[in-house]
Amino acid sequence: MKTHGSAAWQGGIKDGRGAISTRSGALAEYPYGFSSRFEGKPGTNPEELIGAAHAGCFTMALSLILGEAGLTAERMETRADVTLDKVDDGYAITAVHLTLKARIPGADRAKFEELAGKAKAGCPVSKLLKAEITLEATLEE
């Protein structure tokens, strides 16, 4: 499978503005810029999109691994907190913290944590990132 995303930019780093698009059209010229990335203003930013991609990838990977173990999630919610830090040569994503809440009938805590760990390690987005990736998994009753 091959897909793509794209970005367009006009202007300088602080006064410029950009637009991000995806092949699927899920994002079509969605605005981003310095203020949405570093100042909390409206718009998106690359780190937010990486967080959404990582959460989606991990959750799908876990669904696959659960199925292989004969389990099916009733519900899973994953949040990926992405940390962007200033480093010697600029900026880098230094950490991603995945927070998973799941309801999985028939799963015990030990098995759940084992399978979630496998999903974290096997997720293609996890493999791509050079950041420290941590996981906090909660199995709901």
Side-chain angles (χ1 to χ4, degrees):
M1 179 194 102
K2 221 174 184 182
T3 191
H4 69 269
S6 62
W9 187 266
Q10 295 176 320
I13 186 64
K14 287 199 173 182
D15 66 344
R17 62 177 193 258
I20 293 175
S21 300
T22 58
R23 182 202 54 80
S24 69
L27 293 176
E29 298 183 17
Y30 200 84
Y32 83 108
F34 186 90
S35 63
S36 64
R37 190 171 194 185
F38 297 107
E39 298 171 349
K41 302 285 186 195
T44 192
N45 61 68
E47 293 73 30
E48 175 182 70
L49 297 171
I50 288 169
H54 199 178
C57 181
F58 165 78
T59 306
M60 285 185 75
L62 182 53
S63 181
L64 171 68
I65 290 169
L66 287 170
E68 291 170 347
L71 298 166
T72 302
E74 186 176 295
R75 184 176 55 81
M76 292 189 285
E77 293 178 17
T78 304
R79 175 179 167 148
D81 291 298
V82 177
T83 302
L84 179 70
D85 283 324
K86 179 95 172 89
V87 295
D88 292 338
D89 59 348
Y91 285 88
I93 292 173
T94 57
V96 177
H97 181 76
L98 297 170
T99 304
L100 166 67
K101 293 180 183 173
R103 183 171 293 135
I104 305 166
D108 64 35
R109 179 131 186 94
K111 188 67 170 176
F112 169 67
E113 288 178 358
E114 173 195 342
L115 298 176
K118 284 183 181 178
K120 181 185 91 163
C123 161
V125 174
S126 292
K127 292 176 181 179
L128 173 70
L129 297 173
K130 294 178 182 171
E132 175 188 355
I133 300 169
T134 58
L135 171 64
E136 176 184 339
T138 304
L139 184 61
E140 299 176 339
E141 300 294 322

